[in-house]
Amino acid sequence: MSTVAAAARAVTATAQGPATTAQADAARAEHAWQTVRGMGDIQFAPVPPPPADPPYVPPHWLQALVNALAQVLEWINLHVFLPLGLALARSEQLLLVMICVVGLAALVWLAWSLLAPWLRARRARAGVTAPEWSPTPQAALALLEDADALAAQGRYAEAVHLLLQRSVADIGAARPDWLAPSSTAREIAVLPVLPVEARQAFATMADEVERARYALRAPGLGEWQRARGAYAAFALQSLEAQA
């Protein structure tokens, strides 16, 4: 009998052991938690929100100004825009006429802006007569003497080129608006503002220079005399612009 009782007590103690251990662990955990909560350097209570800013109240003068502007805008809307809108709504023909007038005025202004510079330039050209011009006899004779000196040495190509260069310089000095920095001898030879005789003489000199430079055909005595005669005819011509 004693043996059975001892075995029963052993089983009871074995069953109560885990329950006692769990209670001890819970007690230790509760103690640790209470210890942490009791520390003063850790805050567990929620932080209260900052106080809200008081609502903005505009100054009295600003409120008065806003109210005055609102009344002015309301008066303009009631006494200006509203009657104008009603009048336009009742009169479709008036609205159409106003649109046509504005469109026509815009077209006239655009046309005048485009044509006014051209009309002013045309009146200026019509009102100013280009004075007659021709190389002075002294300048022409001096050039011919220089060119003749080159030709006497058999340097006909240089002599012809000198005549052409001096002719271009004469035109540029007399009528700078006729030439451009990129103007070629061929372009100058067909300038419509030059008299016919002057254009023919200039083309003759340009032909001789081009043959010597590009065709590698050095001009002889005959070509030189032809170019010299062309320059003499050119120098005696008036460079009055053709109408």
Side-chain angles (χ1 to χ4, degrees):
M1 186 65 182
S2 59
T3 302
V4 175
R9 286 195 298 270
V11 171
T12 303
T14 302
Q16 292 177 351
T20 304
T21 303
Q23 291 176 357
D25 292 340
R28 286 195 295 272
E30 179 65 23
H31 177 73
W33 169 245
Q34 294 298 333
T35 301
V36 171
R37 289 293 299 267
M39 298 173 63
D41 54 350
I42 300 178
Q43 180 179 350
F44 291 92
V47 178
D53 295 334
Y56 173 73
V57 178
H60 178 71
W61 65 267
L62 182 58
Q63 292 181 352
L65 178 61
V66 172
N67 294 333
L69 290 176
Q71 293 178 0
V72 170
L73 293 177
E74 184 178 1
W75 185 91
I76 293 175
N77 184 39
L78 292 176
H79 296 83
V80 177
F81 292 112
L82 184 59
L84 180 61
L86 294 176
L88 292 177
R90 295 192 187 105
S91 178
E92 297 180 358
Q93 294 182 352
L94 177 61
L95 180 61
L96 181 60
V97 170
M98 291 177 60
I99 294 175
C100 292
V101 169
V102 172
L104 181 60
L107 290 177
V108 170
W109 176 83
L110 179 61
W112 174 251
S113 300
L114 296 176
L115 296 178
W118 178 78
L119 292 175
R120 286 195 295 266
R122 184 177 180 182
R123 285 197 299 267
R125 289 193 301 267
V128 178
T129 303
E132 295 185 358
W133 178 90
S134 62
T136 62
Q138 294 81 4
L141 290 176
L143 174 58
L144 288 176
E145 288 179 0
D146 294 339
D148 286 338
L150 292 174
Q153 302 174 17
R155 299 159 63 182
Y156 300 116
E158 296 180 33
V160 175
H161 195 203
L162 178 62
L163 292 179
L164 180 63
Q165 284 182 321
R166 189 66 60 84
S167 301
V168 175
D170 290 342
I171 295 176
R175 302 289 186 268
D177 56 318
W178 289 359
L179 303 182
S182 60
S183 297
T184 63
R186 286 293 180 183
E187 292 173 345
I188 299 173
V190 295
L191 281 176
V193 292
L194 289 175
V196 176
E197 295 80 1
R199 277 182 281 167
Q200 292 175 350
F202 195 91
T204 300
M205 293 185 293
D207 289 341
E208 296 300 337
V209 171
E210 287 181 355
R211 288 194 186 97
R213 175 172 295 182
Y214 301 111
L216 301 180
R217 290 176 52 190
L221 179 60
E223 288 80 9
W224 154 245
Q225 291 177 346
R226 180 168 174 263
R228 188 183 188 281
Y231 175 76
F234 168 77
L236 296 176
Q237 285 295 327
S238 171
L239 297 186
E240 182 181 6
Q242 298 295 302

